[in-house]
Amino acid sequence: MDITLLLTSTVTLASGIPLTLLLTFASLLAGFVLAVPLSFMRASSRKWLSLPVLAYTYVFRGTPLLVQLFIIYYGLGQVGAIRSSVLWVLLRDPFWCCLLAFSLNGAAYTTEIFRGGIQAVATGMIEAAQAVGMSPLQIKRRIIFPIAFRSVLPSYANEVISLVKATSLASTVTLLEITGLSRKLVSETFAPYEIFLAAGVLYLGLTFLLTGFFNALEARLNGAPRAKAHTRRVALQQVTHEL
Amino acid sequence: MDGFVVQFVNGLKTTVLLALVSGSLGMALGLLAAAGRLSRWRAVSAGIGFYTTIIRGVPELIIILLIYFGGTVAISAFFGRYVEVNAFLAGVVSLTVVFGAYTAEIFRGAVLSIPAGQIEAARSLGLHPWQTWLLVILPQMLRIALPALANQWISLVKETSLISIVGLTDIMRVAAIGAGSLRAPLTFYLAASALYLALTSLALVIFNLLERRFAVPGR
């Protein structure tokens, strides 16, 4: 094990972080925008609304993301209508293919997570909102979704973490994010231990940061129950100042 | 396309075998790790906590690449000439390590949800710690863990597709070869996704039957 190489390759691979984060947050945003209406459709008691969404989430959650990515990147070019359309400008670019695949895949998981939260909202709250005269859309926006989102926040945090890890598949369609850079570097130096360990450390840093962010968000949304642990830390600092 | 049916069948066999072998080994590793995580010895518990946290925070692809290329370097150094690691073996090792980390956390949660009275009762009956684990904790824990375990097995089936990146001839690789040689990527990748969907659906049906059979009363 060469420690210097480990450190230098960590620095080199760090230049892949912006692309990893761009892929993560762009597909997170697109997946969220898709998932909110879809989860309400999926939670609906009307079959013609919920069944098509179920078919979508079932197929996207039942097949590997790698296959989905390859269908979009390699497969869509086989269809002449797509090749000759305006969309081809985007679909022949690996970045947009990754974005499309990760967004559709993430949206399928997020839809099912939100659906669970929506169905768990107590009927009394919805009835109360109806009683004060809110419109169905207002009830969804002001009552159902905020309560549902808060209750599924831990599962949503897990989904965000898996999305960060899923962006590593972008390396299979020539994108040079953290994993792509590390594979390129390994093929040049053939020092797999140091370089893949460095990549692992970078991903670990990203997932830890996100875990910390979601823990803080959860503490905030649940009315700051961690005030106690915080005061103890402050007290300790005061002791060291006195010394 | 016709000539590829046989290859797809072989790829399917490889995928199923890889999932079953690494899933079984991974569950055994997960059980051991969960027991160690719950042990009184701080060092063992902390060490296993480190293992599960690290593995779950790093992409599976990085772990697979590290084990495949790292293993090749290690074995080549050992024999003094270039030896490529068998892709199936590298797949089994990496998926076992990953599956073990996830199932360890599932099993740990399930063990913690068993009422302490059960374990105290087993002790007061004079059962050996081994017997307590085998006869009291394990049967109750497994059925609590079943839904989460089902999800994990389904992700395992999907994760096997990543081993095709290091050259294993599974469903995914057969599709890639066919897509390249017949210039029909959409057809071949759709066929591959249909096979994966059939496998994950089968896993879902099996776990639904198991859940119905071993349902926890009152949960």
Side-chain angles (χ1 to χ4, degrees):
Chain A
M1 179 71 69
D2 185 348
I3 299 294
T4 349
L5 183 59
L6 183 73
L7 291 176
T8 50
S9 46
T10 309
V11 176
T12 316
L13 294 181
S15 58
I17 293 180
L19 186 54
T20 294
L21 286 181
L22 179 64
L23 281 170
T24 305
F25 287 115
S27 24
L28 199 65
L29 185 71
F32 187 89
V33 170
L34 268 175
V36 172
L38 285 178
S39 58
F40 277 105
M41 285 168 72
R42 175 82 176 88
S44 160
S45 53
R46 293 185 203 114
K47 281 267 156 55
W48 61 272
L49 272 177
S50 70
L51 279 182
V53 183
L54 173 64
Y56 158 68
T57 60
Y58 187 79
V59 170
F60 273 83
R61 292 177 345 138
T63 52
L65 176 59
L66 188 64
V67 181
Q68 293 161 18
L69 179 61
F70 279 16
I71 287 179
I72 291 172
Y73 183 65
Y74 295 111
L76 289 185
Q78 194 185 328
V79 184
I82 293 175
R83 274 188 98 97
S84 53
S85 77
V86 200
L87 279 176
W88 187 240
V89 182
L90 294 181
L91 285 173
R92 67 178 181 198
D93 181 351
F95 175 78
W96 291 99
C97 289
C98 280
L99 210 56
L100 186 61
F102 298 159
S103 306
L104 288 175
N105 185 272
Y109 284 92
T110 314
T111 299
E112 288 299 325
I113 291 170
F114 287 170
R115 194 251 330 166
I118 289 169
Q119 286 177 334
V121 174
T123 43
M125 302 201 184
I126 300 163
E127 284 164 2
Q130 281 167 340
V132 295
M134 287 190 190
S135 72
L137 192 67
Q138 278 179 324
I139 297 176
K140 285 186 180 68
R141 204 180 69 218
R142 295 187 187 166
I143 309 293
I144 303 179
F145 192 73
I147 296 173
F149 185 73
R150 196 162 86 174
S151 62
V152 298
L153 193 60
S155 322
Y156 187 63
N158 275 335
E159 172 50 29
V160 174
I161 304 281
S162 18
L163 193 58
V164 175
K165 298 194 282 171
T167 58
S168 65
L169 292 189
S171 68
T172 60
V173 291
T174 70
L175 283 191
L176 292 177
E177 34 67 73
I178 300 176
T179 310
L181 277 178
S182 65
R183 290 174 73 177
K184 187 167 160 254
L185 216 55
V186 166
S187 67
E188 285 163 4
T189 60
F190 215 71
Y193 288 114
E194 289 86 354
I195 289 160
F196 287 135
L197 276 181
V201 168
L202 289 178
Y203 278 110
L204 212 55
L206 290 181
T207 51
F208 274 6
L209 275 179
L210 282 169
T211 315
F213 168 76
F214 275 104
N215 281 341
L217 188 64
E218 208 166 324
R220 212 183 132 82
L221 288 179
N222 287 338
R226 289 162 195 226
K228 223 176 181 176
H230 207 73
T231 45
R232 202 185 300 146
R233 206 185 299 152
V234 172
L236 258 176
Q237 275 175 346
Q238 283 165 347
V239 171
T240 47
H241 275 294
E242 279 165 19
L243 290 169
Chain B
M1 189 76 195
D2 280 346
F4 278 98
V5 172
V6 184
Q7 294 203 34
F8 263 124
V9 171
N10 286 333
L12 184 69
K13 279 184 199 158
T14 310
T15 295
V16 170
L17 192 66
L18 178 62
L20 286 179
V21 172
S22 41
S24 317
L25 290 176
M27 257 175 37
L29 180 67
L31 271 178
L32 280 178
R37 186 90 171 85
L38 293 163
S39 102
R40 273 171 296 157
W41 295 312
R42 283 275 177 80
V44 175
S45 174
I48 289 168
F50 186 72
Y51 154 64
T52 57
T53 312
I54 298 282
I55 297 291
R56 294 184 311 150
V58 173
E60 289 78 10
L61 184 57
I62 290 283
I63 296 166
I64 291 164
L65 293 171
L66 179 65
I67 288 178
Y68 180 75
F69 289 107
T72 303
V73 166
I75 292 178
S76 301
F78 182 76
F79 285 108
R81 63 187 171 84
Y82 182 77
V83 184
E84 199 157 273
V85 169
N86 178 275
F88 187 83
L89 193 67
V92 167
V93 173
S94 42
L95 290 179
T96 300
V97 168
V98 171
F99 200 63
Y102 282 91
T103 50
E105 290 298 318
I106 292 171
F107 289 146
R108 186 180 76 107
V111 171
L112 287 175
S113 70
I114 296 174
Q118 293 280 338
I119 295 151
E120 287 162 11
R123 281 209 192 115
S124 63
L125 279 170
L127 293 186
H128 192 268
W130 270 112
Q131 290 173 310
T132 312
W133 263 98
L134 212 63
L135 302 173
V136 179
I137 298 178
L138 207 62
Q140 299 192 58
M141 176 272 271
L142 275 180
R143 61 183 196 178
I144 297 172
L146 211 50
L149 211 52
N151 276 332
Q152 216 49 58
W153 268 94
I154 289 171
S155 345
L156 176 69
V157 171
K158 293 184 283 171
E159 272 161 24
T160 57
S161 67
L162 297 182
I163 312 296
S164 68
I165 295 174
V166 293
L168 180 71
T169 323
D170 64 342
I171 298 175
M172 192 65 204
R173 183 111 190 105
V174 170
I177 295 166
S181 61
L182 293 191
R183 293 180 186 278
L186 190 63
T187 325
F188 276 93
Y189 289 126
L190 281 178
S193 62
L195 286 176
Y196 281 112
L197 196 61
L199 283 181
T200 50
S201 304
L202 184 69
L204 203 62
V205 168
I206 293 172
F207 272 99
N208 273 337
L209 289 175
L210 281 176
E211 262 170 64
R212 209 172 299 163
R213 172 76 181 73
F214 297 109
V216 184
R219 273 178 73 105

